Amino acid sequence: MKKLIIVLLAVVLLAACSTEPTTTTMVTLPEISNLAPVAVTATVTPSPALVIIETPEPKPIPTPPLNEGEEETARMVVNICRWHNYSPIIADWNSEKENKDRQLNENLILAVMAKESHCNPYMDDGVSVGVMAVTPRPGWWTKEQLQNVRVNIYAGMNILANAIEQSDGDIRTALAAYNCGWESLNANECIPSGGYAYADSVLYFWFPRFEEIDNGK
């Protein structure tokens, strides 16, 4: 009799919980010019449904004060990225017919490279490979293929472009998914430095540093 009462109580509790409304909040990015595609016409690889966990509205994060050594390291990384001159490959991807309506800002891609690998084309952390830290995927890219710089950049740009489309142009969310994956992002299971924290580092720390160079600062 006690077991029957416990079972009935569990059923009642489950029924009560199932009626609670859920809310979904789409996080939007503060206006950053020329980053998001103007229109979306390309075919998007199927992905899990986008359900963004409610988070505080993103706010521009000023470049944190760095000590002399850290500042020098950041400048060195930017110089390395420029020295490698990945710009032609980025431009080639943007010029592809299928990417006409989803072109990506060059400085945004360089910022991702700086964050992911310090622009090191030989980066291999045991999971991700190459300058854009792309994870090998069966039927997509092997580890050996991703060790080719052009393949790696094309793969990374495709992943990010698809994420931007899947997030309706929300660059911050797309970058968070690029780093963490949709499943972990939706479940709020990214590591503390990943997900939206990663996105903010790309957007508000690394991206402005490349923009400053273009603006002659």
Side-chain angles (χ1 to χ4, degrees), residues 127-129 132-137 141 146 159:
V127 178
S128 303
V129 180
M132 292 197 72
V134 180
T135 302
R137 301 181 180 186
W141 312 282
L146 290 172
I159 293 170

Side-chain angles (χ1 to χ4, degrees), residues 21-203:
T22 59
T23 59
T24 299
T25 300
M26 178 63 70
V27 177
T28 57
L29 177 70
E31 186 174 336
I32 296 180
S33 60
N34 301 321
L35 292 190
V38 175
V40 174
T41 58
T43 301
V44 180
T45 304
S47 68
L50 176 64
V51 181
I52 304 303
I53 302 299
E54 186 170 343
T55 62
E57 283 296 318
K59 298 179 180 179
I61 300 175
T63 302
L66 304 177
N67 62 42
E68 186 176 345
E70 292 170 330
E71 183 61 45
E72 181 60 31
T73 297
R75 284 198 300 268
M76 181 180 67
V77 170
V78 172
N79 289 334
I80 289 173
C81 294
R82 290 296 186 183
W83 179 82
H84 276 294
N85 191 22
Y86 296 121
S87 299
I89 301 177
I90 297 171
D92 286 347
W93 186 92
N94 279 328
S95 68
E96 295 281 347
K97 183 178 179 180
E98 60 268 27
N99 300 325
K100 178 182 178 181
D101 296 313
R102 58 176 196 158
Q103 295 187 9
L104 298 173
N105 180 283
E106 177 182 322
N107 287 334
L108 176 66
I109 300 306
L110 291 173
V112 171
M113 293 177 179
K115 176 66 175 177
E116 289 286 4
S117 67
H118 287 186
C119 290
N120 176 13
Y122 305 109
M123 195 283 296
D124 184 348
D125 62 8
V127 178
S128 303
V129 180
V131 66
M132 292 197 72
V134 180
T135 302
R137 301 181 180 186
W140 287 70
W141 312 282
T142 66
K143 181 176 181 179
E144 291 71 25
Q145 289 172 325
L146 290 172
Q147 289 170 338
N148 178 288
V149 174
R150 177 173 290 269
V151 172
N152 194 281
I153 293 175
Y154 266 56
M157 291 182 71
N158 272 307
I159 293 170
L160 182 56
N162 286 345
I164 292 172
E165 292 170 2
Q166 292 156 12
S167 63
D168 294 329
D170 187 329
I171 305 294
R172 183 173 183 256
T173 296
L175 285 167
Y178 182 91
N179 166 258
C180 191
W182 286 113
E183 185 175 350
S184 295
L185 183 64
N186 291 338
N188 200 24
E189 293 177 349
C190 302
I191 63 174
S193 62
Y196 288 108
Y198 165 94
D200 290 341
S201 177
V202 170
L203 287 173

